[in-house]
Amino acid sequence: MNCHGVSADAYFAEVAAERARKEQHAMPDNGKLRWGIAGCGRISNDFVAALTTLPSGEHEVAAVAARDRVRSEEFAKRFGIPKVYHSYEALAEDDQIDVIYIGTVNSEHTKLCKQMLHHKKHVLCEKPLTLRLQDTKDLFAFARQNGKFLMEAIWTRTFPAYKQLKSEIEQQTIGDVQLVTANFGCNAPNVPSLAQRNLGGGVLLNVGCYMIQLATLVFPNKMPTSIKAAATLNDDGVDETTAITLQYEDGAIAQFLMSTRVELDSAARIVGSEGTIEIEAPFLAPTQMLTPSGKYHFVLPFIDEKFPTNFINSAGLSYEAAEVRRCILAGELECPWMTHADSILDAEIIEKICKEIKVNYD
C-alpha cells in the first residue's frame, strides 16, 4: 500500500512524528495559546488584564486555579474565564492548556514549576524563579529534559525600551560602560509577600532582581569580581533596605539602592566613556529613555478601565506574553531576551548578596 507514492510504514511514521511534535509543543492548530493561571493575586490580575490587549485569536485564558475558592471564582468571573480549579494539580492535568503563568508567592514557585513541567506544560513563572541558585539550575534542566519552554518573568527585558537599550550597549553608542546606577523604593514594610521569610520576602528578591538584571544586560555573561552589600533586616530576617556595589574586572561599577521602607526615585543611568543613557522612572517598566541620539517614548497598550490594575505600567506585561507565544510557536525552549543563562547568572549574584547581608531562605 502506498499513500501518494510513500510507503505505508513511512506514512504512518510521519503521522506519528507529527502528532508527537504537536504534543511536544502542546499548541492547537490555530496557533492560539491557551493559558492557565496559577494564583489569583495582584500580579496575576494585572497579567490577565494585559492579555486582554492582545488579539483574542492568539491568546485565551482557559482556566485559573487557587486554593481560595471564593477568590478564584471571583477572578474567573471578572475576566470571563471558563474553568476554575481549586487545586494546582487539577490545573496541571488539564490537557486543554498549553502554558501556565505562575503568579503565586515566591516560596511556591519551585514546586509549581516542577508540577507543571511534569505535566508537559510550558511555564512563565514570576520572578524570582526560585529562592536558591541550585533550584534555578535544576528547573531549567528539568524543563529541557521535558522539551518545554520555561521563562523567569522578568517582564522588563521584553519592553521596547530595553530592547533599544540592549542595541545601544551592543553598538557602544555611549562607549565603554563605566557606571550603572538604579534606585527603587516604596513604603510597604508590612506587605506579607515582602516582609515574611517563609513567603520569599525581602527587597532584594522582590525588587533588587530588576537591578541585577540591568547589570547583567549591560555587562552580559560577566560575574562581578567584587560584590559588596549592606542591609537593614526586619524581625523575620529579610532585608528591608539594601545597598549593593558590584565591580567588574575592567573596573566598571554597578551601584543599587532599594527599600521597602522609604520612597525612592526608580530611575536608572548607564554612564559610558562617550555618553549617558537615562531610563526614566519606573526603570523596571519604562516608557521613556534618553540616549545620545535623542529621547525615546514608547506608548503602552491600552487596558480597558473595567480591568483595574495594581502595578504601574502593567499593560507592559503583554510584551512578555506575546514573546512567550512567539517562542512556543517557534519551538524555542527559552526567551532570547531573558535566557536561562541570564536567570542563572542573576540568581548566582543574588545568592552571593544574600550571604553578604546574612539573609537565608533555607
Side-chain angles (χ1 to χ4, degrees):
M1 174 183 175
N2 283 293
C3 299
H4 303 292
V6 179
S7 70
D9 288 346
Y11 172 76
F12 288 116
E14 178 58 30
V15 169
E18 178 63 21
R19 184 184 301 116
R21 282 193 291 271
K22 288 182 179 179
E23 290 175 353
Q24 179 84 342
H25 298 294
M27 285 288 291
D29 291 336
N30 62 9
K32 180 185 286 188
L33 197 62
R34 300 167 298 183
W35 290 89
I37 308 298
C40 293
R42 296 191 300 164
I43 190 61
S44 293
N45 173 90
D46 288 14
F47 182 78
V48 177
L51 283 178
T52 66
T53 71
L54 297 171
S56 60
E58 296 180 358
H59 297 267
E60 173 192 3
V61 181
V64 61
R67 296 190 183 96
D68 187 318
R69 180 181 296 270
V70 173
R71 287 185 70 195
S72 60
E73 291 178 354
E74 288 178 347
F75 191 99
K77 183 178 180 181
R78 186 185 318 145
F79 292 106
I81 301 171
K83 288 185 281 190
V84 182
Y85 295 115
H86 305 301
S87 77
Y88 297 125
E89 181 68 18
L91 180 68
E93 291 175 348
D94 188 334
D95 62 6
Q96 298 301 305
I97 292 174
D98 308 307
V99 58
I100 304 294
Y101 170 79
I102 297 175
T104 62
V105 294
N106 298 340
S107 54
E108 294 186 340
H109 289 179
T110 302
K111 178 182 177 180
L112 287 177
C113 281
K114 287 181 179 178
Q115 188 174 34
M116 301 306 166
L117 290 167
H118 174 73
H119 285 280
K120 308 303 180 184
K121 300 294 189 290
H122 303 289
V123 176
L124 173 65
C125 180
E126 266 307 325
K127 54 75 191 170
L129 182 63
T130 76
L131 305 183
R132 301 168 191 84
L133 171 61
Q134 189 58 52
D135 288 343
T136 297
K137 292 179 177 179
D138 291 346
L139 273 185
F140 286 131
F142 189 59
R144 286 194 171 277
Q145 289 168 11
N146 282 275
K148 293 300 169 184
F149 175 89
L150 173 61
M151 177 184 175
E152 181 179 21
I154 301 289
W155 61 320
T156 309
R157 288 287 185 94
T158 62
F159 269 66
Y162 268 76
K163 293 181 177 182
Q164 181 61 38
L165 171 62
K166 187 173 183 180
S167 175
E168 299 276 341
I169 297 301
E170 289 173 348
Q171 295 177 32
Q172 292 192 300
T173 60
I174 58 171
D176 296 324
V177 177
Q178 307 292 315
L179 178 66
V180 178
T181 64
N183 299 331
F184 186 92
C186 59
N187 187 7
N190 299 316
V191 174
S193 60
L194 297 176
Q196 295 181 18
R197 191 169 70 91
N198 68 314
L199 299 181
V203 69
L204 173 61
L205 278 189
N206 289 278
V207 175
C209 58
Y210 290 118
M211 300 176 184
I212 301 305
Q213 69 80 29
L214 175 60
T216 56
L217 183 147
V218 174
F219 305 113
N221 306 313
K222 293 181 180 179
M223 172 61 67
T225 55
S226 172
I227 298 175
K228 301 295 183 184
T232 301
L233 309 187
N234 68 8
D235 292 339
D236 204 30
V238 298
D239 56 319
E240 292 183 319
T241 298
T242 300
I244 299 166
T245 300
L246 310 177
Q247 188 162 25
Y248 292 83
E249 187 175 7
D250 61 359
I253 289 174
Q255 199 161 47
F256 305 126
L257 180 61
M258 61 206 75
S259 181
T260 56
R261 273 284 179 188
V262 296
E263 298 285 343
L264 295 170
D265 176 33
S266 61
R269 300 181 79 213
I270 300 96
V271 184
S273 57
E274 299 175 19
T276 298
I277 296 172
E278 297 184 13
I279 307 174
E280 298 188 10
F283 82 89
L284 57 88
T287 59
Q288 297 189 85
M289 184 171 68
L290 185 62
T291 73
S293 61
K295 186 168 186 176
Y296 288 88
H297 178 71
F298 303 95
V299 179
L300 286 167
F302 173 74
I303 296 178
D304 194 296
E305 292 179 357
K306 68 182 179 181
F307 300 123
T309 56
N310 301 287
F311 301 103
I312 190 168
N313 293 349
S314 284
L317 290 163
S318 62
Y319 298 136
E320 70 176 356
E323 179 62 18
V324 169
R325 178 179 179 273
R326 187 201 66 76
C327 289
I328 292 173
L329 284 176
E332 298 173 10
L333 299 183
E334 59 185 311
C335 172
W337 300 104
M338 188 66 197
T339 66
H340 294 178
D342 290 334
S343 288
I344 290 170
L345 179 57
D346 289 357
E348 186 171 359
I349 294 171
I350 287 171
E351 192 161 282
K352 289 178 182 292
I353 295 169
C354 282
K355 290 179 180 177
E356 181 84 4
I357 63 176
K358 297 180 172 55
V359 171
N360 187 352
Y361 292 99
D362 292 332

